[in-house]
Amino acid sequence: MHDTGTASTGSTAQPSRRTVLAATAGVTAALAATGPAHAAAAPDDSGLRALVSRMTLEEKVGQLFVMRVYGHSATAPDQADIDANLKEIGVRTAAELIARYRVGGIIYFTWAHNTRDPHQIADLSNGIQRASLGLPRGLPVLVSTDQEHGIVARVGEPATLFPGAMAVGAAGSRSDARTLGRVAGRELRAMGIRQDYSPVADVNVNPANPVIGVRSFGADPQAVSALVAAEVAGYQRSGVAATAKHFPGHGDTNVDSHTGFPTITHSRELWEKLDAPPFRAAIAAGIDSIMTAHLMVPALDDSGDPATLSRPILTGILRERLGYDGVVVTDSLGMEGVRTKYGDERVPVLALKAGVDQLLNPPDLDLAWNAVLTAVREGELTEERLDRSVLRILRLKAKLGLFREPYVRLGDVERTVGTRSHRAAADRIAERSTTLLVNEGRLLPLSRRRYPRVLVVGADPASPSGTTGPPTGVLAGALSDLGFTATASSTGTAPTAATIAKAVAAARDVDAVVVATYNVGAGSSQRTLVEQLVATGTPVVAVAIRNPYDVAQLPSVPAYLAAYSWTDVEVRAAARVIAGRVRPRGKLPVPVQRADDPAQVLYPIGHGLTY
C-alpha cells in the first residue's frame, strides 16, 4: 500500500512538529531566527554545532551520503523494487536504508519508480521523513532530484514541464529564467523535494558535446551567467536549494563522463574567461549547492585526478579563490569519469579530502559508507573534517525549513502542482524560445488554406520523463488542433532505405511536410530522408528537436526551426509558430558552424528570423 498522506495534516500517523523539534533538541533556538521556511538568513550556528556534537560518528558519516532507493513508497514498495533494493543496497525499503545508514539525503529517479505522480511523490517524501525522524536523534532528510526541464526531468505530467536551458537561452530573458525557477521550485517543494540539481552552469562551446549540449543556456559566458543567477534566485525564493553544475565546467568536451573520463584542455586564462563566470554568478546569487564534474582539467590540477577528487580545484579554487562556503555535492559516484583512476572504496574518501560535502549515489553504499568510517578511525580523515561538512548540510536543511516543517500537505499538491497558470507560463516561455533559422520564400507561417494536408515525419527519440510523446505524434496532434489535417509517421533517428521510400511516397500526396530532425551528422540517413523529401517538390519545414546544429547539415531545407528539445511544451510551441499563431522570437544562444568548414560560422549567436 501507499504511504498515507493523512499524517501531513497533523494526525498521529507521524511524529508531530513538537516531536521533531524535541528529537533535535538544541537546534530549536537557532531555527527560531531563520524566519519563513525560505528565508535567506542563516540560522545561528550554535544550535546546529551542538546538534553535531551529540551525533555519533556513524550518524555523521550517514549525513554525507545522498542515495538512490527503489520504490514508490518508503515502507511498502512493489516486490520488484524490494528485490532491486536487496540486490544493490542490501535493504528492502527506503525506511530500512535510512535506519541502517542514517543517510542525509535521498535522490529520486524515474527509473527507480520514485516519481509516478505528484501525490505519490508527496507520500514518499513524507514516508522518508517519518522513517528518519522516528529514529533516535533522527534528522530530516534532504530529498533531491535532477529536474533541469527540457531533456532532463524526473518529475513529469501532470507537473509543469518547462523548456530546457538552451531554449531559455534562446528566449534570452532573465525574467523567464526566474519564473521557471520560481514555479518549478514551488512544485518540487510541494512534493517534498527540497534540492534540485539545476541549473546547468556549463558554457556549451563544443557542438560535439555528447552530454551537455541543450542542457546548457548557451555559448556566451555572460549570457549564461545572467540566466544561471536568475534561475537560482527563482528556485531559492521558492524554498528549494538550487545546484549549479558541473564545476569547474563541462561545456567543452566530446566525451560523456557517464561512460568515459573527459579532459578539458582550456588554459587557466581561458577557464577564467569562459567556464568560471557562471559559477561566480551563481555564488554571487547565493547558490545553496554546487555539483562537481568528473573530468580532468590539467590547467587547474595536473595530477590526473578528476575535479571531484581534486583538492586544488574544490578547496583551492572553489572554496578559497571563489569564496564559496555552501554545500558541494559530487556528481553521481556511479559514473565512469570518477571510477576510472581509483576504486569505489577510495573515491568517497578522496572526494571528502578534496572538499566535498555530499557524496551522491555511490554504486555500493555499504562499501563507500564503511570506507569513510574506516578513514576516520584510522586517521586519514579527521572527525573535525566530517563535522565541517555535516554542519554545512544541516545549515542547508535549517535554511530550507526542514527542521520546522519536514512534511508536506497533500492539499498543497493540489493547489500548486501543474496549475493552469503554471502551464501557461511554460507555454509562453516555449513560444519565446522557438527560433526560426531559415525561411526561404516566406514559406512560414504555413497557410491552412494553401497547405491544409500536412505529413509529419522524422525522429522519435524516447520521450523525456513524464511527457506524452512521441514528438511526431505530438506535433501532428498540435497542428490538427490548429486547423490542419495532419498525420504522423515516425521514421526514426536512423531511417532505412525502405522507411525513406515510404515517407517520400506519402509526401507526394500531401500539401506540406514537417520533419523532426535529431542530432543529424554527416553520415546520418536523416540527411538522405530530408533531401529526398525536398526533391519531391512538396514544401518541407524542418524542426530541430534537440541540437540546433542540425541546420548546417541540411542546406536544402526551405524552412528550419530550432525547438531545442522534444518535450511536449517545446514541440507544441513549434507547431504554433509553424501555424502563425505566434511569431518566432528566439535567437540562437550558440553559433552554428558550417558543416563543410567548421572554422566558418553559418549562423552566429543572436541569429533568429521572425514574421
Side-chain angles (χ1 to χ4, degrees), residues 458-459 491-501 503-504 515-533 553-554:
T491 49
T493 54
T496 63
T499 300
I500 291 169
V504 167
V515 56
T517 67
Y518 180 91
N519 294 3
V520 180
S524 171
S525 57
Q526 290 182 65
R527 283 186 68 182
T528 308
L529 167 69
V530 176
E531 287 164 358
Q532 291 194 20
L533 289 170
Q553 299 288 347
L554 295 163

Side-chain angles (χ1 to χ4, degrees), residues 228-250:
V228 164
E231 198 165 294
V232 167
Y235 273 112
Q236 296 192 176
R237 287 172 190 169
S238 293
V240 166
T243 309
K245 62 187 186 185
H246 309 79
F247 189 82
H250 211 313

Side-chain angles (χ1 to χ4, degrees), residues 86-106:
L86 286 168
K87 180 180 179 183
E88 292 187 22
I89 316 172
V91 298
R92 294 164 51 84
T93 66
E96 288 184 17
L97 166 69
I98 293 163
R100 181 176 297 184
Y101 295 102
R102 304 301 283 260
V103 292
I106 285 181

Side-chain angles (χ1 to χ4, degrees), residues 57-58 369-370 372-381:
L57 176 58
E58 290 81 0
W369 191 90
N370 279 294
V372 175
L373 194 66
T374 300
V376 178
R377 286 177 172 161
E378 295 183 352
E380 184 179 5
L381 285 169

